[in-house]
Structure formats: structure tokens, C-alpha cells
Amino acid sequence: MMNIRRDDTHGYMEIELFGAYQVERMPELVENMRELATQHRFISWLEIHHGKPQNLFSAMMKTASASKNPDDYAFVRQMRKFALVSDNPGIMFRIFELFARGSHIKLKIFPMHERDRARLWIEEPHQTTQS
């Protein structure tokens, strides 16, 4: 089961995952992200895993194939934060965290007992740094 919540106030999607991703709902997530991107300068993603998620690659492939038009994924340029709440993050998320360093997207992994802190982090306004 997968709960989806869109926060229009702070510009982020929240996905709460119990077991497996619902692959058939991935186009719905993409559409919600597109809509958020039209309303907000920067958008974010909060994902909460109860247990170890299943079918991550299937969900990623379904998301990537939700449209044939690359402009439909332009919202990714507006993505600034990704928070994962999990007591057992998989190796893929740890690799994503490594590769996110130095990019415009900040990725953080929070343990389940810090779920509220993850939400507060996601809801913080984006800070631009000037050098």
C-alpha cells in the first residue's frame, strides 16, 4: 500500500510506503509534481518507508515511462530536497545520497523516530547560497 499526500503550502509530495510501490500510481505522482512545479519555484519529496520497500526499480521505470516528452520532466530542475525516512534504507538510497552531494538536490536519510524532523526539514524554505 502507498499513501500519497500533496502539500501545496510547502510545495512537496509525501509518499508513505507500506511494503511495495504501487507502480500503477507512478504517473499520478509525476502529474502532481508537474502541478507543484507550476505553483512553486522549488519543490521537494518526502518518502517514508515502513519496512523494506519492494519493486523500487519497477516504480522507477514506470515513472520514467509516464511520458514520451522529456519536457514533462522539467520539474526535476526545480527539485531541491528529497528526504527518506527509514530505519533500513536500501543500498540504492545510500548511493543516491552519495551522488547527491554537490548537486542542486539535497538528499537526507532520517531514522523513523525523526519523521517529524524530516518533515520540518522539507518544509524549511530553500536557501540559495552565494559565493
Side-chain angles (χ1 to χ4, degrees), residues 68-131:
K68 301 287 185 216
N69 183 353
D71 288 339
D72 286 345
Y73 299 99
F75 65 84
V76 173
R77 289 181 285 227
Q78 291 172 255
M79 184 85 117
R80 288 301 180 261
K81 292 182 181 177
F82 181 101
L84 172 65
V85 177
S86 175
D87 283 336
N88 188 17
I91 188 72
M92 285 305 299
F93 286 102
R94 294 206 182 273
I95 290 170
F96 293 158
E97 186 180 36
L98 281 173
F99 286 113
R101 293 181 185 158
S103 81
H104 70 278
I105 299 175
K106 293 180 179 158
L107 186 140
K108 277 190 168 186
I109 299 174
F110 295 86
M112 192 59 78
H113 71 275
E114 292 184 359
R115 178 180 179 166
D116 290 338
R117 193 169 76 99
R119 186 171 285 114
L120 289 172
W121 180 74
I122 282 287
E123 291 178 354
E124 287 174 354
H126 175 71
Q127 301 290 320
T128 57
T129 56
Q130 306 244 351
S131 31

Side-chain angles (χ1 to χ4, degrees), residues 41-92:
R41 184 171 175 210
F42 301 113
I43 56 176
S44 300
W45 185 284
L46 172 63
E47 194 159 315
I48 303 158
H49 292 179
H50 296 274
K52 196 158 189 92
Q54 299 168 17
N55 69 343
L56 171 64
F57 291 110
S58 298
M60 289 171 65
M61 296 307 292
K62 183 67 172 183
T63 303
S65 66
S67 174
K68 301 287 185 216
N69 183 353
D71 288 339
D72 286 345
Y73 299 99
F75 65 84
V76 173
R77 289 181 285 227
Q78 291 172 255
M79 184 85 117
R80 288 301 180 261
K81 292 182 181 177
F82 181 101
L84 172 65
V85 177
S86 175
D87 283 336
N88 188 17
I91 188 72
M92 285 305 299

